[in-house]
Structures are given as C-alpha cells and as structure tokens.
Amino acid sequence: MLIKVDQNVCIGDGSCVMIAAQSFKLNPDGKCYILNEDLGPEEKNQSGVVEAPNTVTMDPRDIIIEAARACPVGAIHLYEDDLSEISL
Ligand code: SF4
C-alpha cells in the first residue's frame, strides 16, 4: 500500500494520528506526515504532499484505511501496490 497525505489540505485535527499512531504524526506546524518514510521534513513541506510505502512497522492495513476514512477533509489517499487508488 502507498499512503499519500496532502499537507495543503490537512487541517491538523489529528483524527488519523489517534487511529493509526504507528503511521501518522503531526508536525509542529500542525500538518500530518507519515512515519517510516524516507523523505525529510524539508522535502515534505516543499511539495506539500507526502507519501510512503507501507512497512512492517506501520499499522495494519485496516487501521490505515480507517484512519484515512476518518480524515474530515480527505487529505489522505491510499493506493494498492499497482498504484490503483483505494476507494474510501
Ligand atoms: S485526519 Fe486528515 S486533517 Fe486530520 S491530521 Fe490527519 S490528514 Fe490532517
């Protein structure tokens, strides 16, 4: 699974962090980012969109999907390994 978070859309309410704390975290600026990703904070903020492939240390798939569904502004997008988007 590929996870993308659009920081331009994120309002920092923390719903995703409460559900999937192994996968999402809030930056000091109140924007969500993805744990276990390779990108540094500067790169994340430049593009405004962060993405990360799933890893064994992240939350289970169902929890990540639940967290994405809980986002009040639809800032989280999930994709299968073939890059087809998972409908939420
Ligand atoms: S649930 Fe959505 S708006 Fe809230 S912190 Fe996560 S990505 Fe941002």
Side-chain angles (χ1 to χ4, degrees), residues 1-75:
M1 181 192 290
L2 178 74
I3 305 170
K4 292 187 179 182
V5 175
D6 189 340
Q7 293 184 331
N8 298 310
V9 175
C10 172
I11 58 172
D13 78 316
S15 297
C16 60
V17 178
M18 286 188 282
I19 295 170
Q22 304 297 314
S23 306
F24 300 100
K25 193 171 181 181
L26 289 177
N27 269 333
D29 65 0
K31 297 293 185 178
C32 174
Y33 70 97
I34 304 163
L35 295 173
N36 302 315
E37 62 175 315
D38 294 330
L39 297 175
E42 299 80 11
E43 291 173 277
K44 287 182 256 177
N45 291 332
Q46 281 175 1
S47 69
V49 179
V50 296
E51 59 183 71
N54 202 353
T55 73
V56 292
T57 58
M58 296 172 75
D59 297 287
R61 173 188 174 93
D62 288 354
I63 298 297
I64 294 173
I65 291 173
E66 183 183 343
R69 285 180 174 153
C71 178
V73 292

